[in-house]
Amino acid sequence: MTSLQGKRILLGVSGSIAAYKSAVLLRLLMKAGCEVRVIMTPSARDFVSPLTFSTLSRQPVATDVHNDEGWTNHVEWGLWADAMIIAPATAHTLARCALGLASDMLTATYLSARCPVFFAPAMDLDMWHHPATKSNISKLQSYGNFILDVGEGELASGLIGPGRLAEPEEIRDYLADFFRIQQDFLGVRVLINAGPTYEALDPVRYIGNHSTGKMGVAIADEIAKRGGDVTLVLGPESVLPENDRIHVQHVTSADEMLEKCQDAFAEAQVTILAAAVADYKPASISGEKIKKGDGPMNLQLVRTPDIAETLGQQKKPNQILVGFALETTKLHENAKDKMNRKQLDMIVLNNPKEAGAGFGHDTNKVSFLFPNNKAQEFELKTKKQVAFDIAEAIHKLLKDNA
Ligand code: C5P
């Protein structure tokens, strides 16, 4: 069963030569188990007959808000849908939607729709490159709509370049992915740790590090968005997650972080250890503020618990454990060694020497390594995009484990 099974889709067709491809898209959506209603702009009827769409969808096709036979309720149509896809979306239809002009059934329904709306543009390359089109697209994106990429190649005008409607299969897969990632962690318990730990020296001082928790918090938000039941054990002074369904446990030291992680670990199907846990803590904490003297001062430090290693030893076969490695030399070799020692199912390697990667940045450049020696390398991305890639990789591990 695909994620499109049972979904109600509004397919908006506007007047482009590519409108014939919408019939193929309609067939693919019907085959995937969707219920589809088609709305055509008046000019789309010059390219394909409404009869084609009504036959394939087994539903009447709407073009006008009202005609001699009566009034079509665009509000009801807009509320009915789980998603609206406008394919092809001409420059004119993009502009009307960006401006909020409700001049026909398609645009009136677009304004009434509460569901996610997707636009698959199709036009000639100069229209595609025009600043007016670019600005309309940015506007539509700023309203939360999704814009699919156009294809490149020979266009109806004979010119060659970008502007082709995405292939029907690509549009179907885009929609299927959209619905899949809305629910692919549904019912999955996920434990994540993030941020630094502070190891107290005395009542006012500590040993800490520059971690902000951004990476781990982005992962927590991404997985919660996809339906996961997330517990986030968060070190001090970290950023906070956006999703208020995440159970946040605030901790300060490595010992506290281990304790809170232990509490949630047995029930967690997936554990992601993104925290920059201090490796050492003061051998003892002074009850009073340590006074300065004239000479140098020596601190005696002892090891903190290794949370990943401890949990790795307790891991059951159906649990997935993911760790991070921040390496500056022999990157893959050291990360692999860590993955084996801590019994991880995946390690996210980042190199802080890369520009824009590591602590405090909003971007990161990572590789994923797996025990079967598979590896995935990624470009520099925002931490939110990296969180998406991590969620995708873990979703695959969950599927393989099922
Ligand atoms: O050994 P290293 O600190 O480089 O390993 C990094 C991985 O181990 C990270 O996933 C980190 O969260 C985890 N770790 C831990 N407890 C420590 C040190 C690191 O869980 N004391």
Side-chain angles (χ1 to χ4, degrees), residues 193 273-275 277-279 304-308 323-325 327 338 342:
N193 71 10
L273 300 169
V277 186
D279 290 324
T304 53
D306 191 308
I307 300 172
F324 275 71
E327 306 292 337
K338 231 163 252 185
K342 304 191 185 197

Side-chain angles (χ1 to χ4, degrees), residues 64-358:
D64 306 305
V65 179
H66 50 82
N67 56 26
D68 293 345
E69 283 153 37
W71 185 70
T72 312
N73 189 340
H74 56 87
V75 176
E76 191 271 321
W77 279 54
L79 295 179
W80 168 86
D82 296 311
M84 180 173 191
I85 166 84
I86 302 176
T90 58
H92 187 228
T93 290
L94 289 171
R96 289 185 305 140
C97 291
L99 276 177
L101 297 178
S103 44
D104 61 24
M105 179 67 183
L106 192 152
T107 47
T109 309
Y110 161 72
L111 285 178
S112 307
R114 291 189 189 164
C115 61
V117 182
F118 303 82
F119 289 85
M123 65 199 73
D124 218 78
L125 74 134
D126 295 303
M127 298 169 87
W128 175 247
H129 285 312
H130 199 284
T133 305
K134 296 278 167 259
S135 128
N136 288 331
I137 284 180
S138 308
K139 217 177 222 178
L140 289 168
Q141 280 171 324
S142 75
Y143 301 151
N145 299 299
F146 299 87
I147 311 288
L148 278 71
D149 288 337
V150 291
E152 283 213 38
E154 190 171 344
L155 303 164
S157 61
L159 295 174
I160 293 173
R164 285 169 65 92
L165 177 68
E167 291 306 320
E169 289 78 7
E170 288 168 357
I171 301 174
R172 178 213 39 207
D173 293 349
Y174 191 99
L175 290 175
D177 273 349
F178 175 83
F179 285 113
R180 175 179 63 75
I181 65 173
Q182 277 193 329
Q183 56 194 29
D184 60 355
F185 279 85
L186 205 66
V188 180
R189 287 212 185 167
V190 181
L191 165 65
I192 299 172
N193 71 10
T197 65
Y198 289 174
E199 310 301 329
L201 263 172
D202 67 18
V204 294
R205 302 187 182 93
Y206 60 82
I207 297 174
N209 60 64
H210 293 299
S211 169
T212 55
K214 275 184 186 167
M215 191 64 252
V217 168
I219 300 168
D221 272 324
E222 176 66 26
I223 291 184
K225 188 175 88 184
R226 295 160 83 139
D229 178 0
V230 179
T231 298
L232 175 65
V233 181
L234 194 55
E237 311 266 336
S238 301
V239 297
L240 291 172
E242 289 166 14
N243 192 310
D244 56 16
R245 286 193 303 108
I246 295 172
H247 316 284
V248 184
Q249 304 272 0
H250 292 280
V251 296
T252 304
S253 66
D255 287 305
E256 283 168 27
M257 189 172 266
L258 173 63
E259 195 188 319
K260 293 290 179 204
C261 287
Q262 290 272 32
D263 290 347
F265 182 67
E267 298 296 323
Q269 232 172 312
V270 176
T271 298
I272 305 161
L273 300 169
V277 186
D279 290 324
Y280 291 93
K281 63 180 179 179
S284 62
I285 305 175
S286 165
E288 305 298 334
K289 185 180 169 199
I290 301 169
K291 288 279 184 203
K292 62 173 167 286
D294 290 334
M297 178 185 174
N298 289 319
L299 276 180
Q300 207 197 348
L301 301 177
V302 293
R303 283 296 311 266
T304 53
D306 191 308
I307 300 172
E309 204 166 325
T310 310
L311 300 182
Q313 284 158 6
Q314 298 166 6
K315 189 175 72 145
K316 295 189 209 79
N318 62 345
Q319 287 184 299
I320 292 169
L321 190 58
V322 178
F324 275 71
L326 190 89
E327 306 292 337
T328 51
T329 57
K330 295 191 199 155
L331 312 188
H332 281 224
E333 203 181 314
N334 286 338
K336 262 187 197 165
D337 176 56
K338 231 163 252 185
M339 179 163 58
N340 294 338
R341 191 159 28 89
K342 304 191 185 197
Q343 301 184 51
L344 306 174
D345 300 284
M346 166 176 158
I347 194 156
V348 180
L349 166 64
N350 48 60
N351 175 357
K353 287 183 175 168
E354 292 273 356

